[in-house]
């Protein structure tokens, strides 16, 4: 859980048997500028930007940010299977799962990474779902039809079908939202593998 101030950020890591707090740079720091740069690079649609930051250069930025932000918690991450991140302020602009520590792998390659709006929202969601009855299921919306070129989306769907029982694949087609409202109940997990369109407004 992160709390951002102008000069300092406080990062709290809580596991089943420990709690740790570290101080990180705040919103007026060089680290903040690096975070904004990384956010811009991850979302850059133009080829010129991608060419200016080939994989090796991006990897060094992913590692530098990963070690700056998560290095003090590396031992807790190594012992975890799931990492829940509640970012704040400028830290909310980056996908934490893409950061690296010192082994050259992205965090999401090592553990399940889930970003939540805040620790209090996480607690509320867990309490709300505690009394949910019915069998769990996982509904996947597959926007990666053969003519869409989303090979990664098809791989995600295939991996989920092999890993979990009760996976229901719904193709992304006309009326998909109506289909979801009928099929995805309160005990379901919804996984969307598709293109995204960002509207900042």
């Amino acid at each position: 859980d992160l709390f951002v101030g102008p000069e300092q950020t406080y990062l709290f890591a809580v596991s089943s048997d420990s709690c740790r707090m570290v101080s990180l740079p705040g919103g007026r720091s060089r680290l903040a500028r690096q975070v904004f740069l990384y956010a811009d690079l991850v979302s850059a649609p133009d080829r010129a930007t991608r060419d200016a930051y080939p994989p090796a250069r991006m990897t060094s930025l992913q590692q530098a940010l990963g070690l700056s932000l998560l290095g003090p918690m590396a031992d807790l991450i190594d012992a975890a299977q799931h990492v829940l991140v509640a970012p704040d302020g400028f830290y909310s602009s980056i996908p934490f799962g893409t950061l690296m520590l010192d082994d050259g792998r992205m965090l999401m390659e090592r553990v399940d990474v889930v970003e939540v709006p805040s620790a209090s929202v996480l607690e509320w969601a867990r309490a709300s779902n505690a009394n949910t009855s019915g069998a769990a299921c996982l509904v996947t919306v597959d926007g990666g039809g053969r003519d869409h070129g989303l090979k990664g989306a098809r791989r995600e769907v295939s991996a989920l079908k092999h890993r979990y029982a009760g996976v229901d694949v719904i193709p992304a087609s006309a009326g998909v939202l109506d289909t979801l409202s009928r099929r995805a109940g309160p005990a379901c997990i919804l996984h969307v593998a598709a293109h995204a369109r960002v509207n900042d407004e």
Side-chain angles (χ1 to χ4, degrees):
D1 203 357
L2 287 134
F3 296 89
V4 174
E7 305 301 332
Q8 283 188 306
T9 294
Y10 297 100
L11 170 61
F12 294 87
V14 181
S15 69
S16 59
D17 59 359
S18 67
C19 181
R20 185 180 304 167
M21 186 201 81
V22 296
S23 177
L24 299 171
R28 296 179 183 153
S29 65
R30 182 174 176 272
L31 180 61
R33 292 192 295 274
Q34 285 183 311
V35 167
F36 286 128
L37 170 64
Y38 183 62
D40 288 343
L41 292 173
V42 168
S43 61
D46 60 292
R47 186 179 179 92
T49 302
R50 292 196 302 272
D51 289 345
Y53 281 82
R57 191 173 183 192
M58 278 297 285
T59 297
S60 67
L61 185 54
Q62 286 170 281
Q63 286 180 321
L65 278 178
L67 290 170
S68 295
L69 300 179
L70 304 173
M73 309 296 180
D75 59 320
L76 297 178
I77 291 171
D78 287 341
Q81 291 181 323
H82 312 284
V83 173
L84 288 87
V85 182
D88 183 34
F90 64 92
Y91 292 105
S92 300
S93 65
I94 56 171
F96 273 75
T98 63
L99 300 180
M100 296 179 176
L101 292 172
D102 53 6
D103 67 349
R105 290 185 298 158
M106 288 188 288
L107 187 61
M108 64 185 177
E109 294 178 283
R110 300 161 48 130
V111 294
D112 291 330
V113 181
V114 178
E115 291 194 25
V116 295
S118 69
S120 56
V121 168
L122 174 64
E123 182 182 3
W124 169 80
R126 285 179 166 171
S128 298
N129 291 330
N131 297 321
T132 302
S133 60
C137 65
L138 191 147
V139 179
T140 300
V141 179
D142 180 3
R146 298 199 181 280
D147 56 339
H148 289 80
L150 291 177
K151 294 179 182 176
R154 292 197 299 274
R155 283 195 302 270
E156 285 177 31
V157 171
S158 177
L160 290 169
K161 284 183 71 173
H162 283 92
R163 185 171 181 182
Y164 299 104
V167 175
D168 190 5
V169 179
I170 299 173
S173 57
V176 68
L177 294 179
D178 292 334
T179 304
L180 284 176
S181 66
R182 289 193 310 271
R183 309 260 297 268
C188 285
I189 296 169
L190 177 63
H191 178 91
V192 179
H195 278 304
R197 178 181 296 156
V198 176
N199 182 343
D200 289 338
E201 297 179 359

